[in-house]
Amino acid sequence: MQKKNLAALLAAMFALPVVAHADVTIYGFLSGGIESSKATGSGGSEYSSRTRIVDHNSRIGFKGFEDIGGGTKAIWQVENSLRNFEQGGTNDKGQTATFATRNTFIGLDNGDFGRVLLGQHDSAYKMFTGSSNSALGTDLMVNTTADNFGSSSVNSRGEARMANSVHYFSPSWAGFKLGASWGVDENRVSGNDSKRISLGLGYTWQGLNLAAAWDRQYDTAVTANSNSYNTSSSNSPAVLSLNSGKNVTFYGLAASYKFDTGTFVGGNYEWGTYDQVGGGQVKQDDWLIALGQDFGAASVKLSYGQLGTLKNTSAGVNGDDFKAKQWTLGGTYNLSKTTQVLAYYTKISNNAKAKANFANNPVYDSNLGASNASLTAGNDPQAFGVGFKIAF
C-alpha cells in the first residue's frame, strides 16, 4: 500500500490538474497590546523608556486542498503578516508587511508518505526544536514581544523561514516524525552556493515531546572574533568571496513534558559553529529552562535563557563579552476557545558586545525608522505589556 501511494504521489507531482478549488479556509488571528519598553545600560545610545502599542504577530491566511486520488491531496497555502498595523503598517526599520510574507507554498500530502512543500516555509530546524513546534511549547510567549526564539535573540538562533525552498515532513510513525528542508541559492554571487539545509527528528508520547535538529548555511561566514555574519548591503563580490567554502552550523536538542496536573517543564540546548572569513572557527551555545502551570482557563509561565561564551576567540578578545540572558514571566487567560488575554514581563541582559533583542517588536536605539536601525551592544531591552488575542 505504501509503495502504491508513493507511486501515486510522484506521478501527481508532474500532472496536477488545473481546477477551481472549493475547499478554501480563511484563518488567522489578530493580537495586540500596550507595553512599556526600554533598552539602557551601555552608557552610550539608549532606547529611553516609552509606551508602545504593539502587534503580536497578527496574520491572515488562505489554504485549501484537492483530493487527487490514491490517498493524495494537492495542497496550497498563502499566509500574510498583519504585523505592525499599529504604525500604519510600517515597523521601526521602515519595513511594510506585504502579501505572502509568511509560510506560502504548494505541495502534496499523502497519509502514508507525508508532505512535500515548495515555496516559502519554516525550516525543519524551526519546526522541530524552534518556535514553530507548538507541541514542544518551550517558547512560552510565542508571537509576543516576550518571544525569545530567533536568529538575533537569546535562544534558537538557528531557526529561520526559508524562501526558495523545498520541504518534506513525514506523518507520525509510532510517535516519530522526520523533516528536511533545502533552501536553494538562486543568486550565486561570486560563484558561491549559499544554500541552506535543515533536518529535524521528533518524538511524541502522551505529554512527552523530544526533538533534535541540524541546520547548515553553506558559503556563509562571520567576521573575525564575532558571531556577526559577513554580509554586504550591495552583495559585493569582493566581500562575499571571503565566505566561499565556509559554513555556519547549528545543532539543537529540546524536550518538554506536561503532567496531568497541568504542570509543564521543558528545555532547549543549542550549539552553533561559525567559520570566520579569515580562517578558524568560533563556537557558541545557548540554553533555556521553561516552566508553566495551568489553573483552569489561566496559565502562568516562567523561563530563563542564556547565550553563552563565544569560544575560540583570539588573544585579547574576551568571549564572555558576547554572553546574554533573558528572563520571561507571562500569563494567559482564555475567555473562550478563540479569545485570550495575556500579560508578560521580559528582560534581556547583554554583555559588552552582545546585541540580543526581542524576536518580535525589537527595540532600536540607533537610526530608528531606517533600514539600518540597530541596538547598541551592551544595552538591555526590557518590556512589560498586556494584550488581547482573537483567532478566526
Side-chain angles (χ1 to χ4, degrees):
M1 179 60 72
Q2 289 185 354
K3 291 182 179 180
K4 180 179 179 181
N5 286 336
L6 177 58
L9 177 63
L10 294 174
M13 291 179 68
F14 299 97
L16 288 179
V18 180
V19 297
H21 288 266
D23 297 300
V24 178
T25 300
I26 301 175
Y27 68 95
F29 64 81
L30 291 172
S31 181
I34 182 170
E35 70 177 28
S36 175
S37 306
K38 65 180 180 179
T40 59
S42 69
S45 298
E46 294 184 337
Y47 184 89
S48 59
S49 179
R50 67 199 67 184
T51 300
R52 304 194 299 177
I53 303 298
V54 292
D55 179 74
H56 292 148
N57 229 355
S58 300
R59 68 199 63 170
I60 184 170
F62 309 88
K63 61 183 178 181
F65 71 91
E66 181 191 7
D67 191 335
I68 56 177
T72 302
K73 296 178 181 178
I75 58 175
W76 62 272
Q77 177 175 295
V78 179
E79 189 170 288
N80 315 283
S81 172
L82 298 177
R83 293 192 60 212
N84 312 308
F85 69 79
E86 76 279 1
Q87 297 190 64
T90 303
N91 67 10
D92 286 341
K93 278 199 168 186
Q95 300 166 328
T96 58
T98 56
F99 193 69
T101 48
R102 297 183 57 82
N103 290 346
T104 299
F105 56 84
I106 56 174
L108 295 167
D109 185 2
N110 180 277
D112 293 325
F113 179 74
R115 287 188 167 199
V116 176
L117 310 176
L118 182 69
Q120 176 170 278
H121 198 276
D122 293 343
S123 68
Y125 192 97
K126 184 177 181 180
M127 293 292 293
F128 282 82
T129 60
S131 58
S132 289
N133 189 342
S134 58
L136 179 69
T138 50
D139 189 0
L140 296 181
M141 299 301 294
V142 64
N143 295 317
T144 71
T145 304
D147 184 336
N148 58 329
F149 280 34
S151 59
S152 299
S153 301
V154 174
N155 298 112
S156 196
R157 293 165 68 87
E159 67 174 59
R161 178 172 296 122
M162 298 166 63
N164 304 326
S165 57
V166 59
H167 307 258
Y168 167 72
F169 299 104
S170 78
S172 178
W173 294 314
F176 288 94
K177 289 185 177 182
L178 301 172
S181 304
W182 173 31
V184 304
D185 178 13
E186 297 183 4
N187 294 325
R188 299 297 293 271
V189 177
S190 302
N192 285 4
D193 183 10
S194 301
K195 61 181 178 288
R196 187 165 188 165
I197 295 177
S198 188
L199 304 174
L201 170 65
Y203 176 74
T204 300
W205 179 75
Q206 297 182 0
L208 176 66
N209 287 277
L210 304 174
W214 173 88
D215 182 278
R216 173 167 290 176
Q217 301 166 69
Y218 291 83
D219 284 345
T220 302
V222 297
T223 56
N225 297 305
S226 80
N227 55 10
S228 298
Y229 287 76
N230 180 48
T231 59
S232 170
S233 58
S234 62
N235 281 332
S236 165
V239 172
L240 295 182
S241 64
L242 296 174
N243 296 342
S244 181
K246 300 175 176 62
N247 306 312
V248 172
T249 307
F250 291 95
Y251 309 82
L253 296 171
S256 68
Y257 190 83
K258 190 164 188 178
F259 297 87
D260 293 338
T261 58
T263 302
F264 170 88
V265 296
N268 286 64
Y269 179 76
E270 181 179 58
W271 178 259
T273 62
Y274 305 82
D275 289 346
Q276 300 176 102
V277 291
Q281 183 184 82
V282 292
K283 303 178 180 181
Q284 191 173 34
D285 65 355
D286 62 82
W287 56 269
L288 169 84
I289 297 175
L291 304 171
Q293 178 65 55
D294 293 339
F295 300 96
S299 181
V300 178
K301 308 174 182 184
L302 175 68
S303 70
Y304 174 77
Q306 183 167 298
L307 180 64
T309 300
L310 189 67
K311 300 178 175 65
N312 297 343
T313 55
S314 299
V317 178
N318 187 353
D320 287 344
D321 285 344
F322 294 87
K323 295 175 68 174
K325 59 185 178 182
Q326 182 172 7
W327 283 98
T328 296
L329 174 64
T332 59
Y333 184 82
N334 297 323
L335 298 174
S336 70
K337 291 183 179 180
T338 59
T339 303
Q340 182 184 79
V341 292
L342 56 92
Y344 54 84
Y345 171 76
T346 186
K347 180 178 181 180
I348 298 173
S349 298
N350 283 311
N351 284 13
K353 293 184 179 180
K355 299 180 181 181
N357 211 332
F358 303 133
N360 295 304
N361 306 313
V363 294
Y364 307 111
D365 52 52
S366 298
N367 303 316
L368 190 64
S371 60
N372 61 342
S374 62
L375 175 70
T376 299
N379 274 348
D380 301 333
Q382 56 183 299
F384 167 75
V386 293
F388 191 53
K389 176 181 177 181
I390 303 174
F392 56 88

